[in-house]
Amino acid sequence: MFEHKKIQDLNDFFVELNNRRDNGVYFYRINGYNEQIRDFVQSYYEEARLSGVVIEGRIPNPDEKNLSYYGEIMGMNFQMSTEFIEASLRKWLPRINAYQRETVAASIYGSLESMQKTGKNENMIRNAYIKFMCWLYYRFERIVNQLGGNKIPKILYEGEISKYELILISILSNAGCDAVLLQYNGDAGYLQMDPRSAWSDNLCLPGMTAFPDTFCLKQIQKESAERISRERLYGRKPQVQNCTNAWIKGDIFQDIKTNARDRGSDPGLFYNCFCRINGVEDKLTYMNELYQFQLEMKSSGRRTLILEDTIMPPAVDEISAVKRGVYSRQDQMLMDLSGNIRYAADQELQRLMRKAFVDVLLDEGEQPGINLNKLTSKAVYLICWLKRFQSELFSGWKLPEISLCIYFGGCKNGNEALFMRFLARLPVDVLILVPNLNTSCLLQDKFLYEINHVNSLSADKFPRENAGIHMGTAAYHAEKELDTLLYQSSGLYRDRQYSKANAVTLQTMYEEIAILWNQELKYRPNFSTVNNVVNMPVIFAKVSGVKDGNVAEYWKNIKKILTENTLLIRNVPYISHEDANPIKAYAAEFYKNGRLQKNRIKSHPGYQYGYLREEIQDYLLEKLQALIEQKSIKGTFVNGTEYTIVSTALNMPKDILRWIQRFDFTKKNPKAVYISTTEELISLEDAILMAYLNLIGFDVVFFVPTGYQTVEKHYSGKLLEEYQIGEYIYDLRIPDFDKISLDFHQGWINKIFKRGT
């Protein structure tokens, strides 16, 4: 029989019998929680799972089959003696040795004797004995078989224990087992059965609180399974691990310059830093300091990778070089793809790469909204980028050397952020520089050290040697600061301040068209700027009929809105399907797989807009993509109309392109006036051009004195507003507007169409 001893430390549970004080066993109940207890339960659970018994909830009472089998083998006789119990154990548990039989028999007898002294009759004691024997056979045989060994078997019980369960665990504890009771609801129930704590001890540690609602053995099992799975994913682990930022002093540039051997002395660690600096300390010296810094890195022979603005996504050939399969499980995917990470020159670095790969992707896999396909895509990106930059970072690398990666501008998307997190777990100093405080960096990581400055500097390029360095003077930066004060959230706008815009078609009364026509966009209703994008209120309308049938007034009012930036269309159609269009031959090449191939278009010899400002070209292509995706032109994605849209939009006349080139999204916008007086049909190409100009930001008005259906028959929805202003008149001849005099009395229609100042 073993005596119960008190522990001095939770690790006493894991000491083998020969090394324990007084050769005792431990039986404790745990009624509270802290991190130390969590770690202990996790370790104790592993021990009980491997060489003991874990009980989650009550032990089921022996059922009819159990009792029938017991009666068949043992009979239902019972004698209150150790000799009878020992003889029964020899027959019931034939695999246990003489020492184990003797010890268990003595412990059972002692417990039954205690029950007898409390007034239990012979029948009750016999029933308890049979229950204990069945439980030993069906639930605890593996423990009984280990009694007496130097490695003490463990029992872990979770929940509210019953009286007979407590007696049996006490029997086994007295026979040589450690036992732990996890009591999430406290000690009150237990103390009703053992008010003096004679059978077990209550664990008391500093800082104990109530168990969290999420804490249970099932969660421990899940975490254990994940840990085992993770160990399998890693394969052979590296012998060193990262010590990130713990050694730095805070002056990041000086810290990075510190020799790797001077950063720390533990041979099991490599010392790197992972930092983001937002803003700049001094606008005048910032770029020069970076320039001098990269010169020092170069002269020291430090392996340095400088990235800026964006990391180009993997090309098709890079992706196709990654060996991969079809996966149904995350661990299967990670194990297979990690095989693509090879560094034959140094096996330790290869192990570090694979471990970092697994670590960051396991963490990423826990993010909301992630699924296996998305995670696989991210894993492929990591592998492609590692292969692309591996030689710059690690060519000829040996421990304890630390490479350097600088990302100038910050992470624009999740894949870039994941790659920076991956590099930061390798022997690499990772420095993220975000000088422009209006730029956001999506990187988040528990290891990241962050420095924030109040000054902002707009800079696109890292000042590398021989890379066209630009450094501002004091006057330049002062002007930029003044510019910021004047033109941000003030209602004032500098020339061409914005390069992106969205057109918003206004719903107005007819009379408002004349009022708005010559207004600058910034004065129109619903104008706004959000995230450096202008929302432009524009007019897209059809005017049907002639007011009071007065044709002369009708033409005069049209002349009044013909500004110098107005496209006047008086011959229907303006563009015919039969007209020569050099872009038609390439339309299918320019639009493939549901996307406009913008880079291919720009580099194509047939592209006609290459002389425009780069941001204007991007703007036009963006609006072309939008026009197709809106499917507002009938036949889009049905009969190939999307290719007609491409060829029409990329073949606009030079005058239109010049108006677009000088178009300032906050000021007066260019116009298009389309006059249709006959039954001649407006072409699909005309409808496309007008819808495209509307998206670009033109005011577009159709004058249709006949009231006939015209451009709308090519649109799949209501794109323009129609105004009925008077009677329909047919076969009007469009006059030469240069010969129309505007010198007449100020009638009310004249007031409606008066030119703005």
Side-chain angles (χ1 to χ4, degrees):
M1 298 283 286
F2 285 82
E3 292 185 9
H4 289 175
K5 301 295 182 180
K6 294 187 182 298
I7 62 170
Q8 295 182 357
D9 184 272
L10 284 172
N11 288 327
D12 290 349
F13 271 96
F14 307 112
V15 177
E16 293 184 343
L17 181 61
N18 291 345
N19 295 322
R20 288 190 177 183
R21 298 177 300 277
D22 302 323
N23 288 340
V25 294
Y26 309 123
F27 186 2
Y28 271 79
R29 57 191 191 273
I30 302 177
N31 297 296
Y33 175 88
N34 60 26
E35 288 301 317
Q36 185 182 2
I37 289 173
R38 177 186 178 81
D39 294 341
F40 165 73
V41 172
Q42 197 166 43
S43 300
Y44 190 86
Y45 167 79
E46 290 296 331
E47 289 280 336
R49 186 179 64 84
L50 295 173
S51 59
V53 171
V54 177
I55 302 165
E56 300 174 67
R58 296 289 175 87
I59 307 172
N61 284 322
D63 58 23
E64 290 185 9
K65 289 183 178 181
N66 301 150
L67 294 173
S68 174
Y69 180 70
Y70 177 82
E72 180 182 339
I73 300 299
M74 304 297 296
M76 304 305 287
N77 295 329
F78 171 71
Q79 294 178 20
M80 185 63 178
S81 70
T82 55
E83 292 80 12
F84 173 81
I85 296 173
E86 189 173 344
S88 297
L89 287 172
R90 182 183 291 108
K91 186 176 182 181
W92 184 235
L93 299 173
R95 291 191 296 173
I96 65 176
N97 60 37
Y99 169 81
Q100 293 163 344
R101 281 195 303 273
E102 181 181 346
T103 304
V104 174
S107 187
I108 291 174
Y109 179 81
S111 294
L112 294 177
E113 187 177 39
S114 296
M115 292 174 63
Q116 192 177 50
K117 290 178 181 179
T118 62
K120 304 295 184 184
N121 60 39
E122 183 177 346
N123 189 54
M124 296 171 69
I125 291 174
R126 182 180 69 86
N127 289 342
Y129 165 77
I130 293 173
K131 177 181 286 192
F132 295 154
M133 293 291 276
C134 287
W135 277 350
L136 288 174
Y137 181 85
Y138 289 109
R139 290 302 305 269
F140 293 95
E141 185 183 15
R142 69 181 300 195
I143 278 187
V144 177
N145 290 336
Q146 298 177 63
L147 294 174
N150 196 35
K151 186 175 178 63
I152 298 176
K154 314 290 185 192
I155 297 173
L156 178 59
Y157 187 101
E158 177 186 55
E160 296 291 322
I161 195 167
S162 68
K163 183 64 174 285
Y164 284 102
E165 290 174 320
L166 178 58
I167 293 172
L168 177 65
I169 291 177
S170 181
I171 287 170
L172 291 170
S173 179
N174 292 335
C177 290
D178 288 332
V180 170
L181 306 183
L182 281 177
Q183 301 186 141
Y184 301 141
N185 296 322
D187 216 18
Y190 177 90
L191 291 175
Q192 291 179 2
M193 299 177 288
D194 181 21
R196 299 180 183 177
S197 294
W199 290 340
S200 69
D201 294 299
N202 181 34
L203 180 68
C204 294
L205 293 176
M208 290 175 65
T209 61
F211 281 99
D213 293 338
T214 57
F215 185 85
C216 63
L217 289 184
K218 280 188 169 51
Q219 182 64 24
I220 295 291
Q221 292 168 19
K222 180 182 177 182
E223 292 173 0
S224 177
E226 290 174 351
R227 189 168 56 255
I228 293 170
S229 175
R230 185 173 296 196
E231 294 295 330
R232 187 171 65 253
L233 287 175
Y234 290 140
R236 184 177 175 184
K237 280 190 172 182
Q239 296 178 355
V240 295
Q241 59 182 335
N242 57 305
C243 174
T244 303
N245 292 341
W247 58 276
I248 64 176
K249 297 179 181 179
D251 185 342
I252 291 301
F253 291 105
Q254 289 301 320
D255 290 330
I256 290 175
K257 294 176 187 177
T258 303
N259 187 281
R261 298 183 185 277
D262 297 329
R263 296 180 176 188
S265 57
D266 190 332
L269 300 174
F270 61 84
Y271 299 85
N272 70 330
C273 72
F274 185 21
C275 178
R276 176 170 59 213
I277 303 178
N278 300 307
V280 301
E281 188 172 9
D282 188 325
K283 293 182 181 182
L284 290 179
T285 61
Y286 180 76
M287 297 300 280
N288 185 57
E289 287 173 352
L290 289 187
Y291 179 63
Q292 297 299 328
F293 175 71
Q294 66 92 19
L295 287 180
E296 288 185 52
M297 293 298 99
K298 182 177 181 180
S299 62
S300 69
R302 185 84 170 270
R303 298 172 192 82
T304 301
L305 171 66
I306 299 176
L307 304 169
E308 53 194 2
D309 187 42
T310 188
I311 306 176
M312 290 300 296
V316 174
D317 58 335
E318 290 179 300
I319 293 174
S320 61
V322 177
K323 296 179 181 178
R324 60 191 185 277
V326 178
Y327 309 113
S328 58
R329 301 193 320 275
Q330 178 178 287
D331 60 340
Q332 176 192 27
M333 179 271 290
L334 292 176
M335 183 174 291
D336 186 45
L337 288 182
S338 63
N340 287 275
I341 299 176
R342 294 187 176 89
Y343 194 76
D346 195 295
Q347 288 297 305
E348 182 69 4
L349 180 57
Q350 178 175 292
R351 295 185 193 109
L352 284 169
M353 290 175 175
R354 290 185 176 180
K355 183 178 185 300
F357 176 79
V358 171
D359 281 342
V360 296
L361 286 168
L362 284 174
D363 185 55
E364 190 73 10
E366 296 177 357
Q367 301 305 309
I370 199 76
N371 57 40
L372 184 59
N373 287 336
K374 290 181 181 178
L375 194 64
T376 302
S377 176
K378 289 176 178 290
V380 171
Y381 264 62
L382 282 188
I383 292 168
C384 291
W385 281 339
L386 175 62
K387 289 183 176 180
R388 184 190 297 176
F389 302 120
Q390 188 169 283
S391 61
E392 289 182 73
L393 287 170
F394 301 114
S395 179
W397 175 90
K398 295 292 181 185
L399 269 176
E401 296 170 353
I402 303 293
S403 305
L404 172 61
C405 174
I406 299 173
Y407 192 180
F408 191 81
C411 302
K412 308 300 187 298
N413 56 61
N415 288 330
E416 293 183 351
L418 191 65
F419 185 57
M420 292 299 106
R421 294 175 57 211
F422 168 69
L423 290 181
R425 284 153 175 82
L426 299 178
V428 179
D429 287 337
V430 177
L431 178 60
I432 315 294
L433 299 174
V434 190
N436 189 346
L437 294 176
N438 294 319
T439 302
S440 61
C441 174
L442 299 181
L443 176 64
Q444 292 183 336
D445 192 273
K446 62 182 179 181
F447 291 132
L448 183 65
Y449 177 74
E450 198 154 15
I451 297 174
N452 294 296
H453 296 301
V454 296
N455 296 316
S456 180
L457 178 66
S458 179
D460 300 325
K461 301 292 183 182
F462 187 89
R464 299 187 232 196
E465 188 179 16
N466 300 325
I469 303 165
H470 297 263
M471 298 184 187
T473 64
Y476 171 84
H477 290 297
E479 182 187 36
K480 287 295 181 183
E481 288 182 1
L482 182 61
D483 186 76
T484 300
L485 291 172
L486 284 176
Y487 300 120
Q488 286 191 5
S489 304
S490 66
L492 300 175
Y493 304 97
R494 65 173 180 270
D495 289 344
R496 297 179 181 84
Q497 181 172 343
Y498 299 97
S499 61
K500 293 184 178 181
N502 293 318
V504 180
T505 299
L506 288 172
Q507 292 179 311
T508 69
M509 295 178 60
Y510 168 65
E511 289 77 10
E512 289 182 284
I513 294 177
I515 298 171
L516 298 170
W517 188 258
N518 262 330
Q519 278 189 351
E520 292 187 357
L521 293 173
K522 63 186 176 185
Y523 298 130
R524 289 185 178 182
N526 301 302
F527 174 87
S528 64
T529 59
V530 181
N531 296 328
N532 289 319
V533 177
V534 180
N535 293 314
M536 305 177 295
V538 298
I539 297 167
F540 194 22
K542 175 185 175 184
V543 179
S544 295
V546 177
K547 183 66 176 178
D548 298 328
N550 190 334
V551 174
E553 292 294 318
Y554 182 73
W555 296 127
K556 288 179 180 179
N557 290 326
I558 291 176
K559 176 170 182 177
K560 289 184 178 182
I561 63 172
L562 299 179
T563 69
E564 61 180 7
N565 290 335
T566 300
L567 169 66
L568 173 63
I569 299 174
R570 49 189 295 156
N571 296 315
V572 180
Y574 178 61
I575 305 172
S576 172
H577 184 68
E578 289 75 26
D579 290 349
N581 184 336
I583 302 297
K584 283 184 180 180
Y586 311 116
E589 180 182 347
F590 289 167
Y591 190 83
K592 296 176 67 175
N593 302 321
R595 296 297 299 174
L596 195 66
Q597 307 299 307
K598 297 177 183 177
N599 292 331
R600 180 174 295 180
I601 291 172
K602 284 185 173 183
S603 61
H604 197 277
Y607 178 56
Q608 302 176 28
Y609 301 167
Y611 57 84
L612 299 176
R613 298 198 319 272
E614 192 70 28
E615 63 267 24
I616 292 296
Q617 296 182 52
D618 292 337
Y619 180 71
L620 290 175
L621 294 177
E622 175 190 327
K623 297 309 174 187
L624 174 53
Q625 176 77 37
L627 181 61
I628 297 171
E629 289 179 348
Q630 290 172 3
K631 295 188 283 190
S632 54
I633 309 298
K634 287 182 180 178
T636 304
F637 302 128
V638 175
N639 56 17
T641 299
E642 60 270 22
Y643 302 118
T644 306
I645 295 173
V646 170
S647 60
T648 302
L650 294 180
N651 191 45
M652 291 189 295
K654 185 182 295 184
D655 285 345
I656 294 178
L657 295 177
R658 287 178 173 177
W659 291 328
I660 295 172
Q661 167 78 4
R662 63 173 177 252
F663 179 24
D664 188 327
F665 299 144
T666 66
K667 298 181 181 178
K668 289 185 180 181
N669 57 332
K671 322 288 183 181
V673 173
Y674 196 122
I675 305 174
S676 175
T677 62
T678 68
E679 292 81 8
E680 189 73 32
L681 295 177
I682 289 180
S683 66
L684 171 62
E685 288 77 6
D686 284 1
I688 291 170
L689 178 62
M690 294 300 108
Y692 186 44
L693 294 180
N694 167 248
L695 283 181
I696 292 169
F698 278 58
D699 286 334
V700 179
V701 178
F702 292 86
F703 286 95
V704 187
T706 62
Y708 288 149
Q709 180 179 205
T710 54
V711 70
E712 61 267 36
K713 74 186 183 68
H714 294 296
Y715 296 152
S716 58
K718 184 183 177 183
L719 293 190
L720 44 69
E721 297 294 315
E722 183 173 7
Y723 303 94
Q724 300 287 343
I725 66 167
E727 63 180 283
Y728 297 152
I729 297 181
Y730 307 102
D731 300 320
L732 289 179
R733 296 183 62 183
I734 302 173
D736 181 350
F737 287 101
D738 291 337
K739 296 181 180 179
I740 293 178
S741 171
L742 297 180
D743 184 19
F744 58 91
H745 68 280
Q746 294 289 318
W748 74 272
I749 293 179
N750 185 41
K751 291 179 181 178
I752 290 175
F753 285 95
K754 69 180 178 181
R755 298 190 62 159
T757 57

